[in-house]
Amino acid sequence: MALLRDPDVLEPRLADPLNVRWSPRAFDDQHVLEPRQLHLLLEAARWAPSAGNSQPWSFMVGLRGDETFAGFYEHLARGNQAWAGRASALLVAIRQTASGPDHELPFGGYAQYDLGQAAAHLTIQAHALGLHVHQFAGFDHDAVQQRFGVPEHWAVTTGIAVGVAASPDVLDERTREKELLPRTRRPISEFAFSGTWGEAPVDLS
Ligand SMILES: Cc1cc2nc3c(=O)[nH]c(=O)nc-3n(C[C@H](O)[C@H](O)[C@H](O)COP(=O)(O)O)c2cc1C
């Protein structure tokens, strides 16, 4: 099974495992995440850089079959419910928005950036373990915040599905169509400039 689609978009070759990362919808619903794997994922998030080392992230961790997983799944958008229930773990990624009794927040302006970076590190660690990750924002954020009793100075931000990628055949037709769409990206010339905004960067060839 080709789990890496469209390798052309990854030229020049990226470092491992960036070169095999993508966000599948088809997960193996028999796979069980080992405690050691989960530990490594959270450890990767833990050691991500952050503004002033403020570490403004938290995660609710659900494993398929447990209450946290089911409680989060219940509030997902229908399009995400179509695939996320097969993942081995569903995490809620939460950023700090203000200081509180549990944790100071000296550099709040960067908390969303920092949480994103922690999620990216977790994602890359997952791929290094042979797992796949699919992040998502399509869910009822307020309901999830309430459901898990997340304090006001923390904001539920995204979901992170972790598991082992499976054949697209396990998906319903509509979800399978999305799964098989080519991956595309904006060209570097549209987002990297030098001199003046909009001017091409130095020669990359
Ligand atoms: C903040 C964020 C929100 C996303 N929301 C959803 C979502 O609700 N449903 C979904 O299927 N994918 C979601 N995605 C996945 C993106 O669609 C996916 O990363 C993007 O299309 C690039 O594909 P790739 O990760 O395979 O390279 C989200 C990703 C991020 C980072």
Side-chain angles (χ1 to χ4, degrees):
M1 181 191 356
L3 292 180
L4 170 63
R5 290 169 295 115
D6 310 310
D8 288 354
V9 302
L10 299 175
E11 291 297 340
R13 297 299 295 175
L14 294 176
D16 194 36
L18 291 171
N19 54 356
V20 293
R21 188 212 64 79
W22 66 289
S23 305
R25 293 170 181 79
F27 283 106
D28 175 359
D29 67 358
Q30 299 303 303
H31 174 261
V32 174
L33 196 67
E34 294 167 16
R36 190 188 141 273
Q37 292 176 313
L38 179 59
H39 188 172
L40 275 168
L41 298 184
L42 295 172
E43 203 64 40
R46 179 174 175 234
W47 285 101
S50 60
N53 200 20
S54 51
Q55 306 163 62
W57 48 68
S58 289
F59 300 92
M60 292 296 305
V61 180
L63 298 176
R64 196 182 55 251
D66 75 13
E67 264 183 38
T68 306
F69 188 106
F72 185 23
Y73 179 82
E74 196 178 302
H75 299 295
L76 302 194
R78 216 171 303 155
N80 288 334
Q81 281 188 337
W83 58 266
R86 305 180 59 90
S88 310
L90 289 181
L91 280 65
V92 188
I94 304 165
R95 71 184 190 279
Q96 194 170 1
T97 55
S99 289
D102 52 348
H103 194 224
E104 284 294 306
L105 183 63
F107 293 95
Y110 299 98
Q112 191 146 346
Y113 183 98
D114 292 340
L115 173 63
Q117 186 143 226
H121 283 221
L122 182 157
T123 297
I124 296 307
Q125 180 63 53
H127 281 76
L129 294 169
L131 301 164
H132 278 72
V133 168
H134 192 143
Q135 300 179 44
F136 57 93
F139 60 89
D140 184 337
H141 288 64
D142 292 342
V144 172
Q145 181 107 9
Q146 272 206 337
R147 172 90 182 211
F148 295 120
V150 178
E152 267 187 13
H153 59 291
W154 290 88
V156 160
T157 305
T158 52
I160 303 177
V162 183
V164 165
S167 161
D169 296 343
V170 302
L171 299 169
D172 64 68
E173 196 181 330
R174 195 153 171 230
T175 313
R176 186 164 57 245
E177 274 171 21
K178 290 190 212 163
E179 183 81 332
L180 296 174
L181 285 174
R183 293 173 69 225
T184 59
R185 288 300 192 265
R186 297 161 67 205
I188 292 173
S189 57
E190 279 190 13
F191 65 80
F193 312 126
S194 64
T196 308
W197 177 268
E199 265 182 34
V202 288
D203 186 7
L204 301 176
S205 59

